[in-house]
Every structure is written in structure tokens, then in C-alpha cells.
Amino acid sequence: MYTRKNSRNLTGEERQRFVGAVLELKRRGEYDDFVRMHIEFYVTDGQDGLRAAHMTPSFFPWHRRYLLEFERALQRVDPAVTVPYWDWTADDSPAAALWSDDFLGGNGQGPDQRVMTGPFAYESGHWKINSGVTDREYLTRNFGRPSAPIALPTRDELAWAMDEPVYDTAPWNSTVTSGFRNRLEGWLSEGAERWRNHNRVHRWVGGHMLGASSPNDPVFWLHHSFIDLLWDRWRRRHPKAVYQPSNRLHPDDPQHGRVISLDEPMPPWDVRPSELLDHSRLYRYAP
Ligand code: CU1
Ligand code: CU1
């Protein structure tokens, strides 16, 4: 049993050990295995096949297990390390301590949006992008997308998702407009407000955080640690709500074979969403 802390409360030593363990996984090649897994499971509505990770009810349990695998890898390097979380409703600007030189480094600079500061700058010599969706070898960020500015989600925007009492609803994809899952995952509506909550944060950081290879930016893990915390918070607020779909979809359902119900195994681990609902024996979140 261990604790995941708010990233703003990490001591200097805790930051250093988290960064050190991430860099060691990168050096060993294990980090890029995680990036490749995320690319492999980035299946959208427009594609065929099972959607285990995105645009799907199992968005939360899939990422919970993915984070646990990453955290176990970090802990094989340094048993004291856990994945901190980034509360982007509070630390909502480029001035947040998260982006300091001894933690995740700062914004991308220049026309190529290259990260130039901190341990994940290309010039540090330890962070070469090997599995991206482009052939750029340096990490990129573009905070707030200045060409068409967006802000991080506010508390009210997050509350709009957290207040929703139903977990998810048919057709279980990116188009559903009700249900907690897509209100937090954030594939909704059109225009300026198109990207909500979880997706908005990927858009706000920009650069590598935009696409299937988003775990190339280590902030991915801190973002998804907060998403995992929010799933907990939602379950406590709606104790009668259940994971949906709770039963296998009928073979005539157009989403049959495309989404994972409560007791169907989730690749690549063959773990069921029902086995991932309660993590209280493994870890907790510090307030
Ligand atoms: Cu993901
Ligand atoms: Cu994400």
C-alpha cells in the first residue's frame, strides 16, 4: 500500500527520485515499450476492431492498469517512487511548479516547439523520442495553443462531468453526449468547446501530448494519475452507479466486439474491468 501525492506537494528529493526513475526506464528501453503499447491501443471510432483504451467505457480501467504497470516498472528502479498527480484545475498555468527545471521542464520554444529546459530536453542527452507519430527526435510542447488559445478545464467544467450519475451509455463511443465517461474523456460537441476535460488537457500541453504517442511526454502519467483519482471521486459521489455496459453486448449490436463490458477480459492483460474497480489495497491518493 503506497500513496500517490499531488505533484505540487512533492519535496525536492521526491521530484528528483521520480525523474531519476523515469530516466532510468528510458535508458533501459522500457519507457519506449510503454509508448509503443499506447500507440498500439489507440483505436478510434473510425477504425475497426476492439477499442480497449480510448473512446470507450474501458477508458478508465484500461488506463488504471496501464499506470499500475508503469508504476511497478518505476518501483523496480526505486521502490519509493509513485506516480504523482497533476490537478490541472488548480495548477493551471505555465508558472506551475510542475514545469520547473528540476521536474518536468518548461514549454516548447521556437517554431519547432522544442522543449529546451529540464531533464526531458533533447539537449540533456537523456530524452530522445524513438516512437513518435512524426520523426522529430526532441520532445515538443505548445502550452495553451497560442494560435487558437485554449485554457485548461475549470472546476465548473470538471463538475459538469462529475455530477453526471450514469457511467456510460450506448453507443459507448466518442459521440455519446451524456454519461460520466465521455464527459470526462472529452470527445464532445464541436467548435471552440470541442475538447473537454481529459482531452482538453492533452490539447493545452500540445506537442507530443496531442496524439497516440502522448506518453512520450512524462506529464502524461501525472495527467492520468489525476484522471484515475477523478474516477475514484466520481464513484464515491455516486455509490449506486455501476460500470456500463454491465453485460456483454448482443451479437446484433453494432458495438459488439468493439467495447468491453464489466466482466470481459481487457487486452493486453486479460484483466476485467470488474477487477480494477477497487484499488484500495494497492494505493491511495493523498488530498
Ligand atoms: Cu491513453
Ligand atoms: Cu489521456
Side-chain angles (χ1 to χ4, degrees), residues 193-209:
E193 290 300 301
R194 186 164 169 213
W195 311 104
R196 307 287 181 99
N197 290 310
H198 155 268
N199 279 341
R200 174 75 69 84
V201 176
H202 281 269
R203 298 273 137 186
W204 184 87
V205 177
H208 276 96
M209 274 288 273

Side-chain angles (χ1 to χ4, degrees), residues 90-120:
D91 294 322
D92 59 354
S93 91
L98 184 65
W99 309 112
S100 62
D101 289 357
D102 69 340
F103 205 178
L104 300 186
N107 198 5
Q109 295 172 34
D112 58 3
Q113 304 172 359
R114 185 194 296 231
V115 171
M116 303 291 282
T117 55
F120 306 105

Side-chain angles (χ1 to χ4, degrees), residues 38 54 63 220 224:
H38 196 266
H54 306 100
H63 285 87
F220 172 94
H224 272 274

Side-chain angles (χ1 to χ4, degrees), residues 18-19 26-27 75 79 96-97 100 104 135 138 151 156 163 177 188 196 198 200 203 208 215 218 226 231 242 266 281:
F18 174 75
V19 168
K26 182 74 170 175
R27 195 189 65 78
Q75 290 173 350
S100 62
L104 300 186
D135 53 11
Y138 47 87
D156 283 352
D163 290 346
T177 53
L188 282 160
R196 307 287 181 99
H198 155 268
R200 174 75 69 84
R203 298 273 137 186
H208 276 96
F226 189 53
W231 184 26
V242 288
M266 232 177 14
R281 284 178 305 122

Side-chain angles (χ1 to χ4, degrees), residues 113-115 120 127 129 137-141 208 216-217:
Q113 304 172 359
R114 185 194 296 231
V115 171
F120 306 105
W127 206 257
I129 306 296
E137 292 191 328
Y138 47 87
L139 181 64
T140 56
R141 291 176 183 148
H208 276 96
N216 274 312
D217 190 331

Side-chain angles (χ1 to χ4, degrees), residues 117 123 140 149 280 284:
T117 55
E123 283 64 25
T140 56
S280 60
R284 62 180 282 272

